Amino acid sequence: MTAELTRGQNHPLPGARLEIRISAGTPVVAGATLGDENGTVHGVEGVAHPGAPTLPGLEVSRQAAADHCLAVDLDAMPDTVHRVSVLLALPAGGSGPARFGAVAAPFVAVAAPFVAVTGLDGDEVASYTLTGLEAESAVVALELYRRQGAWKVRAVGQGYAGGLAELFTDQKLSGAHQLAASIHEAVASGLARSIPAPPATAPAHRPDHGTAPRTGPGGASGPVPPTSPYDSQGASGPGPQTPGAPGQHGAQQPYTGGPVGPGEPAAGQPAAPAAGGPIDYSHPRRQTAAPPPPPPAAPPAEPGQPARPVAGDATGWSMEERLYNQVWGMFEDLARTTAAYRSAVDFADSRMEKELDQALSDPRNRIGGQGDAAREAARGRHAQLVSQAREVLDRDVAQLVAEAEVVEPALPAAFARWDNPVWHAYRVPMEIPMAVRLGDLHLPEADRIRVPMLIRLPLERGLWIDSGRSASLDGSFADSHEMRRLGLETAVAHAARLLAVYPAGEFTVHVIDPAGSGAQALAPLVRSGVLAAPPAQGAAGAADVLTRLTQRVDLVQMALRGGAPDALPPGLDTSQQLLIVNDFPHGFDDRAVNQLRYLADEGPAVGVHLMMVADREESAGFGPLLDPLWRSLLRLTPVADDHLADPWVGHAWTYEPPLVPPGSQVLQQVLAQVAAARGSWGR
């Protein structure tokens, strides 16, 4: 039975190995400190945080997220540790709320952060809902403490308006401000490489196809902690129903052409409610109160076999939305089943290490063959645990592979690979799609399955195609010239896809190529006539393009802030704008660099997007001036690279760019249709 704690209450813990599940209405930083009997933390090595997530007996999340699962093994704690304080903090300098009192109800199932302590079997031991938080930006949620040889959990709820620095100072930690700054820096770096999750809305239906359960209470498909790898069917304990499931787009609609500024409703969307007024959850332009049910399921499988997967079996208003939700469901399923496998392997490794140490420390095992037998038994138990975990992982991956085999051919052009036959029947769309595919993702434990990387439209961040010299995952090396060529070809493929998925005249591409070195790679865009103008060359050409786009951002922002969006100049192009910058920083002075930073920060809100093809090392001469620029862009690579993270667990996923198959003419054919449609619309 779950103990629902109030502030100050405690409850005994039944076991040493626990999970601490955290759910909040906005991305938060989760960490923990190890203190002595008085709660004093002796040095930064006693703090687990995203920059140093692992301590003896404790592991925390590596990035900020709305949902966390902290792993705790109290038996592995040093004898000097008597108190484990679990802390939460809001990321500094982000676009989210700056205090816990500002977390809005629409983002969460409950109005405040929720913390639950569970056993490995998924049974919830205790829970605590933090209430009464206002100006605080950091809080000690609960603590595990040792009393007379037994461990208990206590609900704390102590908030700090001064953030992590004040919290660490209260725990008598030297260097509190420096540690807080380093944690926020690690969080900012993690968010920069994290794939943006779909907007948090009502949970989407995702049927179970035989993989370990991924659902929360009541069947909601929001993020939940990894299930226990020791149960062949998985286990998921009760907990708060949380949003964040693969996205319903009732709360955020695709951009429909006109510029939209912060705080302004997009065309066709309801205005924000007045403070304290009721929130309108209805989908614009639709009268139904809930999405239609998914299509009929496939015929039932044979007894004892998992259900046959069906394309589009997630909830949504259209087949496009159902497929989008299904792909994100597959993405989350693979992330969580892999997390469960890795957790099981880590436990097996630590258990074998502990048993081997015990065998070596026992004098009786030094005589005869008892020591060898003990070591063999420890290795045998380790192999059995790993084998069981691998069996569960293989079962889940096999089902996801089967699902991918039926989903991939059914994807629309915006979601499909370039080798998908859907492109042979391509026609310029009349509406903006929900998302666009920017590549594929996979994990080393599940190399058989590729998950489409779908990013919502309009783009909320610019893109950085990293052309730095690096080794690809297959062991091959590419020199700097080859990487520049591959980087620009990748940028062209991304730009062509964005042009193809937008209606005619709703997306405009500009190119800056100061030295003219990208003429060959840019040829498909230039020859087809889809560019707004020939690629700008030289310092003067780059300055002209940057000045015009910067002025456009200024004009739209002033019009929106002044409440006069209709007062824009008659000739202003209101379509989405994409600027491709090649071979940065060559040919760019300080003024141009500042303009690029301005476009990266302010442009997406008013429909101006940046795509940089650059090697960060070559711009090192600018120093830390460019660090905010790189962090504001989503880094992609022209070769396979494991640099992206999922928004749930934080795995390092291998990213593969969406290159056109060698010898294929699909890119030229698609661009020709785009150019013809633009011509008919007078663009």
Side-chain angles (χ1 to χ4, degrees):
M1 182 176 178
T2 303
E4 297 183 2
L5 304 180
T6 59
R7 186 172 182 176
Q9 275 190 311
N10 60 55
H11 187 75
L13 295 175
R17 300 196 72 238
L18 306 164
E19 288 178 347
I20 299 176
R21 301 175 182 177
I22 300 167
S23 178
T26 188
V28 296
V29 182
T33 59
L34 306 183
D36 58 16
E37 299 94 329
N38 301 317
T40 303
V41 181
H42 298 280
V44 296
E45 61 275 5
V47 182
H49 57 84
T54 304
L55 294 177
L58 177 64
E59 183 173 3
V60 303
S61 303
R62 290 168 169 78
Q63 63 186 36
D67 298 271
H68 293 271
C69 182
L70 280 60
V72 180
D73 186 353
L74 297 174
D75 286 343
M77 293 283 176
D79 294 337
T80 56
V81 174
H82 290 260
R83 188 179 301 179
V84 181
S85 300
V86 178
L87 57 94
L88 307 177
L90 293 169
S95 59
R99 56 189 183 89
F100 278 108
V103 176
F107 292 97
V108 287
V110 293
F114 179 95
V115 182
V117 180
T118 70
L120 284 182
D121 55 1
D123 291 337
E124 195 171 286
V125 178
S127 64
Y128 173 45
T129 300
L130 281 74
T131 57
L133 298 177
E134 289 296 337
E136 297 87 347
S137 60
V139 60
V140 176
L142 54 78
E143 64 182 13
L144 313 179
Y145 64 97
R146 197 196 312 248
R147 181 67 55 85
Q148 297 179 349
W151 285 90
K152 295 183 177 182
V153 57
R154 177 188 291 123
V156 180
Q158 176 63 52
Y160 297 87
L164 286 175
E166 183 181 353
L167 187 155
F168 292 142
T169 301
D170 190 46
Q171 294 188 344
K172 303 177 179 61
L173 179 64
S174 59
H177 288 80
Q178 294 86 342
L179 177 59
S182 67
I183 292 175
H184 287 304
E185 177 67 22
V187 171
S189 300
L191 290 175
R193 72 185 188 94
S194 178
I195 301 169
T201 58
H205 171 76
R206 173 164 168 76
D208 181 14
H209 289 310
T211 56
R214 312 278 178 244
T215 58
S221 60
V224 296
T227 57
S228 171
Y230 311 112
D231 180 356
S232 61
Q233 298 300 322
S236 173
Q241 182 173 331
T242 59
Q248 306 286 344
H249 66 298
Q252 176 180 333
Q253 294 302 308
Y255 184 75
T256 55
V260 178
E264 295 289 336
Q269 294 196 28
I279 298 174
D280 182 10
Y281 292 95
S282 63
H283 190 287
R285 301 184 299 279
R286 291 189 177 93
Q287 300 302 319
T288 53
E302 298 295 330
Q305 298 296 321
R308 299 173 185 173
V310 178
D313 66 351
T315 299
W317 296 100
S318 63
M319 177 56 74
E320 178 195 47
E321 186 174 3
R322 290 169 179 169
L323 289 169
Y324 174 81
N325 289 342
Q326 188 171 11
V327 167
W328 270 88
M330 294 165 57
F331 187 16
E332 183 177 357
D333 283 354
L334 185 56
R336 295 193 182 282
T337 193
T338 304
Y341 169 75
R342 292 180 179 179
S343 176
V345 173
D346 289 344
F347 170 68
D349 291 343
S350 62
R351 175 175 172 174
M352 181 179 68
E353 183 179 354
K354 187 174 182 178
E355 290 178 347
L356 291 176
D357 289 342
Q358 290 176 346
L360 291 174
S361 61
D362 191 345
R364 295 171 298 180
N365 292 335
R366 302 172 187 172
I367 303 174
Q370 294 183 10
D372 293 337
R375 285 189 289 271
E376 282 300 317
R379 295 189 182 100
R381 285 188 288 269
H382 173 272
Q384 182 181 8
L385 286 174
V386 173
S387 176
Q388 290 175 352
R390 186 73 213 193
E391 182 180 351
V392 174
L393 175 66
D394 289 343
R395 180 202 66 199
D396 289 355
V397 170
Q399 188 60 30
L400 288 171
V401 169
E403 189 172 4
E405 289 174 350
V406 299
V407 169
E408 189 71 44
L411 294 177
F415 300 175
R417 292 194 298 254
W418 284 113
D419 59 358
N420 193 308
V422 71
W423 287 106
H424 296 297
Y426 168 77
R427 294 293 182 270
V428 177
M430 299 299 293
E431 295 182 355
I432 302 173
M434 290 183 59
V436 66
R437 185 173 188 159
L438 294 184
D440 292 331
L441 301 165
H442 68 91
L443 291 171
E445 292 89 347
D447 193 57
R448 293 184 294 160
I449 182 172
R450 299 294 191 272
V451 178
M453 178 179 166
L454 302 182
I455 301 298
R456 288 293 292 262
L457 292 178
L459 297 174
E460 297 180 355
R461 298 169 62 185
L463 304 177
W464 165 30
I465 313 301
D466 189 357
S467 60
R469 182 177 178 181
S470 63
S472 61
L473 295 180
D474 60 5
S476 61
F477 287 83
D479 60 24
S480 57
H481 297 290
E482 179 70 7
M483 287 298 294
R484 289 195 190 99
R485 181 186 66 81
L486 292 174
L488 190 53
E489 288 181 353
T490 302
V492 168
H494 288 313
R497 181 178 289 266
L498 288 166
L499 282 164
V501 303
Y502 271 83
E506 294 295 329
F507 198 84
T508 304
V509 178
H510 310 264
V511 177
I512 295 178
D513 186 20
S517 59
Q520 182 178 356
L522 292 169
L525 298 178
V526 176
R527 292 173 184 169
S528 62
V530 296
L531 294 179
Q537 297 184 2
D544 179 63
V545 174
L546 290 172
T547 299
R548 284 190 285 110
L549 290 177
T550 301
Q551 290 176 348
R552 182 190 186 279
V553 173
D554 290 338
L555 284 172
V556 176
Q557 284 187 339
M558 286 189 294
L560 292 174
R561 290 169 181 168
D566 296 334
L568 292 170
L572 184 71
D573 183 4
T574 58
S575 66
Q576 296 277 304
Q577 309 285 311
L578 174 68
L579 173 60
I580 301 176
V581 178
N582 183 41
D583 210 15
F584 180 82
H586 304 294
F588 291 85
D589 56 18
D590 290 344
R591 182 171 185 270
V593 169
N594 287 329
Q595 288 175 319
L596 286 173
R597 286 188 54 186
Y598 178 73
L599 292 178
D601 292 339
E602 305 294 335
V606 292
V608 178
H609 311 284
L610 196 60
M611 185 185 295
M612 302 276 292
V613 182
D615 179 359
R616 186 170 183 174
E617 292 184 0
E618 293 184 355
S619 61
F622 288 96
L625 175 68
L626 288 181
D627 288 347
L629 173 64
W630 303 125
R631 282 199 296 264
S632 68
L633 304 175
L634 177 61
R635 177 177 175 250
L636 303 177
T637 54
V639 296
D641 188 74
D642 55 351
H643 66 282
L644 290 175
D646 63 81
W648 303 286
V649 185
H651 293 314
W653 291 73
T654 298
Y655 167 79
E656 295 178 350
L659 299 179
V660 179
S664 173
Q665 297 298 311
V666 64
L667 189 66
Q668 289 77 5
Q669 295 169 3
V670 169
L671 289 177
Q673 291 199 41
V674 172
R678 287 170 61 88
S680 65
W681 281 78
R683 292 283 185 170

